[in-house]
Amino acid sequence: METKKVIGKRRFSMTITTTVFAFLYLPILALVVLSFNSARQGVAWTGFTLKWYAELFRQSDIWAAFLNTIIIAVTSSVAATAIGTFAALALYWYQSRLKSYLGILVYTPLIIPDILMGVSMLVFFVAVGLPLGLFTIFLAHVTFCVSYVTVTVMTRLEDFDYSVVEAARDLGARSRQVFTKVVAPIIMPGIMAGFLLSLTLSIDDFVITFFVAGPGSTTLPLRIFSMIKFGVSPVINALSTLLLIGTLFVSFFGSKFRKLIF
């Protein structure tokens, strides 16, 4: 009787798991398949074609938006990683009466709605007279990515043995040498995780970017949004498929690179 109950629970768990994975991945699989469908509208299969990929590479405005996205994502992620790393070190190691309040400020961007952050940044940029464009998008992305990096690096610091820092100082290492030779290598997995998380969030962001973007500063999410106003084009399916392949490629080689270093 007990064996039947165990088997029943396993089957139920497997059913739920399979349903969840199907719900998550079947739409992505359908998108990839439809990118090779010759039909312009609908989901009925009318034949295999690569014309949507050819048309995608002919649309220069999409690739201009993609270039803007990559530039903003890389630069904002680098800046956010540097700021967030030093913020995490300061919050974790240095004692201050303001430490708890600063911790609240770090976590605030993680929980407030994106639309609220987007509107507040728009109001701020207009108030200080800063023209909306790629630079304002960069500032906005750095602002919300810093919190993610800080939290990620602080998680890594939870397992940090401070005695190695004291040992390095006893051996005559200067502050810069302690950081570059001891601290940075130990927390590097957290730094890389924060950078990759920031990169992903920046590339994916739409709501905040929508408010702070100006003329000539269209990013890929904004471009895709403007395209789907007139219906889901197979070109968008082709673009999404290439983005999916690129993401898997970066994830695979990023994992290999991490194993080689760490």
Side-chain angles (χ1 to χ4, degrees):
M1 189 66 178
E2 293 295 331
T3 304
K4 290 183 179 180
K5 289 183 179 180
V6 172
I7 294 176
K9 290 181 179 180
R10 289 179 178 176
R11 288 178 177 176
F12 178 76
S13 300
M14 183 59 67
T15 302
I16 295 298
T17 303
T18 303
T19 302
V20 170
F21 276 103
F23 179 78
L24 290 174
Y25 292 105
L26 282 180
I28 299 177
L29 179 61
L31 181 145
V32 173
V33 172
L34 290 176
S35 69
F36 299 101
N37 187 12
S38 60
R40 179 173 290 274
Q41 297 291 337
V43 296
W45 183 263
T46 59
F48 180 87
T49 184
L50 294 174
K51 65 179 181 180
W52 307 122
Y53 289 89
E55 185 171 338
L56 171 63
F57 284 99
R58 288 195 295 266
Q59 297 192 12
S60 58
D61 53 344
I62 292 180
W63 297 107
F66 177 75
L67 180 61
N68 288 338
T69 299
I70 295 301
I71 292 173
I72 292 172
V74 173
T75 55
S76 63
S77 297
V78 171
T81 301
I83 298 172
T85 299
F86 287 108
L89 293 172
L91 288 172
Y92 189 76
W93 278 337
Y94 295 100
Q95 300 299 322
S96 172
R97 295 180 179 179
L98 300 176
K99 183 175 181 178
S100 59
Y101 300 102
L102 293 175
I104 294 175
L105 292 178
V106 168
Y107 282 98
T108 299
L110 304 179
I111 59 178
I112 64 174
D114 286 348
I115 190 171
L116 177 59
M117 182 174 289
V119 172
S120 62
M121 288 185 178
L122 173 61
V123 173
F124 173 76
F125 292 145
V126 172
V128 299
L130 192 62
L132 299 181
L134 290 178
F135 184 62
T136 54
I137 298 176
F138 165 79
L139 293 178
H141 285 208
V142 171
T143 302
F144 72 80
C145 285
V146 163
S147 296
Y148 289 95
V149 176
T150 304
V151 172
T152 304
V153 176
M154 287 185 67
T155 302
R156 179 65 180 177
L157 287 171
E158 294 291 338
D159 300 325
F160 190 90
D161 185 5
Y162 193 77
S163 62
V164 297
V165 175
E166 296 175 344
R169 292 187 182 277
D170 291 340
L171 294 173
R174 298 180 179 180
S175 298
R176 180 179 298 180
Q177 292 175 320
V178 170
F179 178 76
T180 57
K181 302 294 185 179
V182 179
V183 177
I186 294 177
I187 67 173
M188 187 56 68
I191 296 175
M192 291 300 299
F195 172 78
L196 293 176
L197 180 60
S198 299
L199 192 70
T200 303
L201 292 171
S202 179
I203 292 175
D204 184 61
D205 181 73
F206 168 77
V207 177
I208 297 176
T209 306
F210 178 80
F211 286 98
V212 299
S217 59
T218 302
T219 60
L220 191 59
L222 295 180
R223 179 56 186 162
I224 293 176
F225 176 74
S226 65
M227 292 173 65
I228 63 175
K229 289 181 179 180
F230 307 99
V232 180
S233 169
V235 175
I236 298 179
N237 296 336
L239 175 61
S240 302
T241 301
L242 293 181
L243 290 175
L244 176 63
I245 295 174
T247 302
L248 294 176
F249 180 83
V250 172
S251 299
F252 176 78
F253 283 97
S255 176
K256 295 294 184 182
F257 181 74
R258 180 181 62 84
K259 290 179 180 180
L260 288 175
I261 294 181
F262 308 117

